[in-house]
Amino acid sequence: MITATEDNEYYELTSPTALPKASGFLWNEKMMIHMNCRGYAVAQYMQPEPAKYSHAPNLEAKTFMQPEQPYYAHHPGRFLYVKDEESGEIFSAPYEPVRALPEQYTFAVGKHDILWKIRNRDILIEMSLSLPKDDTMELWRVKVTNLSPNRRKLSLYPYYTVGYMSWMNQSGEYNEQLQGIVCSSITPYQKYQDYSKVKEMNDKTFLLADRRPAAWEVNHEAFEGEGGIASPSAIHREELAKGEARYETPVAVLQYRLDLEPGAEESYRFLFGPAHNEEQIAGIKQKYFGGEDGFAAAEREYEEYVAEGRGCIEIATPDADLDNFVNHWLPRQMYYHGKTNRLTTDPQTRNYLQDNMGMSYIAPDIARNAFLTALSQQEASGEMPDGIILHKDAELKYINQVPHTDHCIWLPVCLSTYLDETNDYSLLEETVPYVGGKESGTVREHVDRAMNWLIQARDERGLNYINQGDWCDPMNMVGPKGKGVSGWLTIATAYAFSTWADICERSGKPEVARQYRLAAEETNAVANEYLWDGEWYARGITDDNVLFGISTDKEGRIFLNPQGWALMSGAADETKRKKLIQTVAEQLESPYGVEKLAPSYTSMREDVGRVTQKHPGSAENGAVYNHAAAFYIYALYLTGEQENAFRLLRKMIPGPDAEDILRRGQLPVFIPNYYRGAYRQYPKTAGRSSHLFNTGTVPWVYRSLIDGLFGLQGTPEGIRVRPQLPAEWQKAAVKRRFRGAELKVTFKREPEVKAVEVYLDGILAENGLIKDMQAGTAYEVLVKIPQ
Amino acid sequence: MITATEDNEYYELTSPTALPKASGFLWNEKMMIHMNCRGYAVAQYMQPEPAKYSHAPNLEAKTFMQPEQPYYAHHPGRFLYVKDEESGEIFSAPYEPVRALPEQYTFAVGKHDILWKIRNRDILIEMSLSLPKDDTMELWRVKVTNLSPNRRKLSLYPYYTVGYMSWMNQSGEYNEQLQGIVCSSITPYQKYQDYSKVKEMNDKTFLLADRRPAAWEVNHEAFEGEGGIASPSAIHREELAKGEARYETPVAVLQYRLDLEPGAEESYRFLFGPAHNEEQIAGIKQKYFGGEDGFAAAEREYEEYVAEGRGCIEIATPDADLDNFVNHWLPRQMYYHGKTNRLTTDPQTRNYLQDNMGMSYIAPDIARNAFLTALSQQEASGEMPDGIILHKDAELKYINQVPHTDHCIWLPVCLSTYLDETNDYSLLEETVPYVGGKESGTVREHVDRAMNWLIQARDERGLNYINQGDWCDPMNMVGPKGKGVSGWLTIATAYAFSTWADICERSGKPEVARQYRLAAEETNAVANEYLWDGEWYARGITDDNVLFGISTDKEGRIFLNPQGWALMSGAADETKRKKLIQTVAEQLESPYGVEKLAPSYTSMREDVGRVTQKHPGSAENGAVYNHAAAFYIYALYLTGEQENAFRLLRKMIPGPDAEDILRRGQLPVFIPNYYRGAYRQYPKTAGRSSHLFNTGTVPWVYRSLIDGLFGLQGTPEGIRVRPQLPAEWQKAAVKRRFRGAELKVTFKREPEVKAVEVYLDGILAENGLIKDMQAGTAYEVLVKIPQ
């Protein structure tokens, strides 16, 4: 029912009801579409802020992307009604809105397209969605085949939601010249100062067809009639009424009449998207449906575009599902983050840096530019802003208006991956202005100032202030008075110091390195003095000096982040390590991964903040918040806890069995930002996917694979091979792209070796260090691992 | 199909499909519900800003009330599914979501309740909705009667939409103790500063029943299943699953099992609304379903509350539909405005003053207080603010953030009605502070300053600046540079001066009166010099000195407001009067009333502004905007144009025939803010009601009836009777409540009289002036009118 295709190009689902929220997503340089297996869709594009061209039936709130998006009958979607002209029966593809169970159904999520094959009443409908690389629109193909032994007369009705575009002005009509439907609106505004923006907007939605329809309908209400969306009155008539929408809710519906001999087929292509005016739409028609086949060329170009997002490892392990996910889906999700910046013009600084940490593995140039962009918005004080402005008209919105204190730590943490991967230490010597442009400094100086900012943003004990939040946004009432401190941030600061020390060390600044290493040690000592609670580290200390995230708390007793980061920073000695790892397993681990905190808060705790008001088990309040879980997995690998690490890593990907996938509710084509947690309090809902694929999880998973599981992390000299394969793996192979070279690495358990032995092209590499690799060259690496 | 009941207490509709958007509305001290004939509902309450307890299925935008509200399958509503346990057949009442055509259907909109009678498969469902006077909740009764000759086993499922409450936290469960469903949420917020407000909010939605249900469902998705909203899977099972919602979309559905002998009936009552916590809900249960019958008492109390909103005239004319509307619905709509302030905490100043002009006829004390409230927010410069703040936490929102220049003129205009009606000239001597509280002055001084502000807010020609708008909000680009002027506002200023002069004259300030009368004359002269375009008055002159609303304009050639107000101000001499009245009839009048401007703009005119971007025929852009039409009707009466006035007045109320009501799409129970216009450009959609009952129209219609049609306007001495009945009326009767007295006025056409003769209790009243009336006394007035 849920399987990967043999070539691993697609994940397939063969029932429209088993996994009703299953989905895939496509994106390009301008837009994103989240496509549900039943035909529902959420599409957004940038102009420059996120906008829609296919709307809900009512006025929607403008907001950031939400998890656990609910569907409903009139949710925006892309559908095809099919009517048998002789029997009058109708069904729809993919499944909504008619919900007539197909005889056969396949929903296939690919990397660069999404496909359906639906057989219903012996009619086969094949549909595909792809995108162009640079234009904002959807490319749809529809093929209809008569599989029955009889000639069939059909009407086909592509039905694309336009919805409630605007209370100020909306309309729609069929345009003979364009051979399509054009719906027009004006983005509502009240202040004349906004007009200059509104007048530039792409307030039109078009549906263009490559074949002339017999009829159409643009008026949603007229289309539906009393039949309703599941059985529109207009479809039960011989011909659509060729109506228009005048300040009524528009819709784009076409009608094609088919007369198919047994085995015969007909094909159609459609373009659906936003535009500024008719001329632009005419240009689109010319480009995609004109003389040369622009449509197919765009599909090919998009395929190549997506293929550029391949990662730097291809793996073959005893775990085929893991292989599929790591080889195909994980780098794609990282690439999406790096390319789209989560469809925001002001990504949170920590997200932007981590997303580009991921891009270091795929497109290091993009990562490099992003680090420079972020640093050019740093205050001369060293403080990093809450969000990075990516468009001249952008401004800090939503959570970015709330001051957080953790942004500086991500600089060395994320740079370190970039440097490991590229060895491009020249980046540190680039000169970048501080925000405002009065001062400039090298990247090295920028990071120094960031570290120094962290040193001064501490209380008398040496604990880092939390202000209105750290990595955990809604922990917003711990420190608004300027006294409360973050346990996690203090520990993370120690890790940032030691990471920066490593970088300084490697780049010829041993004295600076020594200072930061000392600072890291001091910080770790402070953490152990004030935050260690006996079995684990506390999450923080409030404005009123209350330690929380400790054993005497009934809710929010233990938080995951301080534990993992204490492993990374070295705060935890071996005794503490053992204790906290055991505690995490006992109190936070669930069948779906490790939870962010437990027990979930069920009511407001005013000195902790908004996190305690979030729904138990959702988002930050006790979910299996994969971003935090990925930190922890990384930390376990750093500590050599390879079995623990792998078990948790494996829980992050739905499956392998159908039961687990059904429980999560999503195909294993992306890691969601969370699975519902609070497993011990609300077992019934635990494990469900949020279906939100925006998450800082993915670069950390990738880093865990490279630095941890396969131990193929870059160093200035090359790669130090230090695998941490799970005990049950007898062998594994990894194709590793690294600084232009290609390594074919084979891992083998060998009963005779006592310690890992690494052979480069047959020759034993000292200390497991592979060096002197040349770009453009292929190498064979054999890694022998003790049994 | 559409008729008033014999007692005129209800308007009835007997088909759920003929007039699918037909609706009624109820309100009380805290809330409003707009109830559609098919079961859809929009309810809002104040906490202090408008909030909802029954939501759409997606995140809704927070905005002002919209016209032409679209409905869709999952639109919030109140429904009842009925299942025949033997046949398995289902239908729903009132009509949605199953849409099974009933054998008999009545939707009856009353003043204090809304009723349905639905007979389907020989089961009679009677439903009623009422409100309490002071509490925020809905009072529902449901009665089921078996009209068939057989015993019937049924399941009954009251189904109340709860919807997408919050992305931060939402849940719902059945509460055994409360005998009902309680859904909980937390209003989303991100800044900790907002917590103090959020924690006070009524974030729960409850459905309480007076009878214990057999089962229930609170999980929307589980309820619907694959059957969808029109045929929920849960209903096809024997018993609802007693589910709960945990961060899933909640719904409130109960199940009752009935076993009805022929003729037998069962009754149920439900309470649906928002609450802060369980204790409060327990209190509600006790109050309404406890020992004494609080439910029925609340219904009675609400009936009395609504009855207090009766107007000051009851009419009996040859036009029964007009009588019904004027006696029952028009004062009710005025009362709604005065009581709820349109469910905003910052009503626009002009709306607030006009709504309270209407309250002068119903509850003059409320009007008096409102005038004082408005004046206490006046600047010491005389300028009136854009909105009146009615709650300590309120702020100016939406359009009230855009500076408009007309607010001052409404002071004398609206006060004048209050003074006519009450003779309470003492109001003028009340001392009121200016905003900020540093200065104070009498109401008289306040109005003087307002008039003086108007005098200085003019250009060198003496034309009034428009800034970013006047009465017409979206005419926002005529004068943002500080140069453009409003033709209408200049003329309206002249009318304000002369109205204030009249008030000063009557209150012992003849010298002041003389000055304002002179100012009015000068202003009228300026208007004639710069704005008269040959056949009508221009709408204004832009920042770049372009006259617009003139004969050479292709769109927006003529605007209604300057024409009517030139009749009121006296700017138009007899020649101009005739010309402009004829032009309005030719260019602006449609079968559905007189349009606000014509031809509607179809594209942006940057020097006029946003109005030109609104949908043609909608809202301000060429609609039959009833507020403007009502000004014009009033102006026609002032000018003695009684036939023209009555014709337009009559077009404002849907009907009398069904065809006209169907065209408008609403029952004649309120005047909407507009009917779709652009009749000459888009005849197909013209005439449709906006279904939005918030409008400044109603007090002007009432004033036109009193001052114009029946000529029963108050004066300091009493009432000067000056009827302007349409020629075809041979007689009419009006019961007029006036300053505590009650007049029974009979109008009769008498062939023998040459001029109107007025008899008070049989004695001829000099100059038609009825004076020396005593409160608490009834008088008989006979008015003889020439044939």
Side-chain angles (χ1 to χ4, degrees), chain A residues 729-748:
Chain A
W729 286 8
Q730 289 305 310
K731 57 176 188 173
V734 174
K735 206 189 285 175
R736 170 81 159 104
R737 278 178 289 277
F738 184 71
R739 300 180 196 168
E742 192 169 285
L743 287 76
K744 283 188 181 156
V745 186
T746 308
F747 298 95
K748 271 192 184 160

Side-chain angles (χ1 to χ4, degrees), chain A residues 21 38 95 168-170 189 191 195 221 226 246 248 401 606 610 613 615 676 688, chain B residues 21 38 95 168-170 189 191 195 221 226 246 248 401 606 610 613 615 676 688:
Chain A
K21 289 180 185 169
R38 293 159 72 113
Y95 177 62
M168 201 161 127
N169 194 329
Q170 63 177 13
Y189 70 104
K191 295 179 183 167
Y195 169 68
E221 201 175 305
E226 290 296 324
R246 298 274 165 223
E248 294 141 316
Q401 297 177 344
E606 294 196 354
R610 199 167 60 92
Q613 285 188 296
H615 193 91
R676 202 78 86 74
R688 290 191 194 168
Chain B
K21 290 180 184 169
R38 293 158 72 112
Y95 177 61
M168 201 161 128
N169 194 329
Q170 61 177 14
Y189 69 103
K191 297 181 181 165
Y195 168 68
E221 203 174 304
E226 290 296 325
R246 297 274 166 224
E248 295 141 316
Q401 297 177 344
E606 294 196 352
R610 200 167 59 93
Q613 286 187 296
H615 193 91
R676 202 78 86 75
R688 289 191 196 168

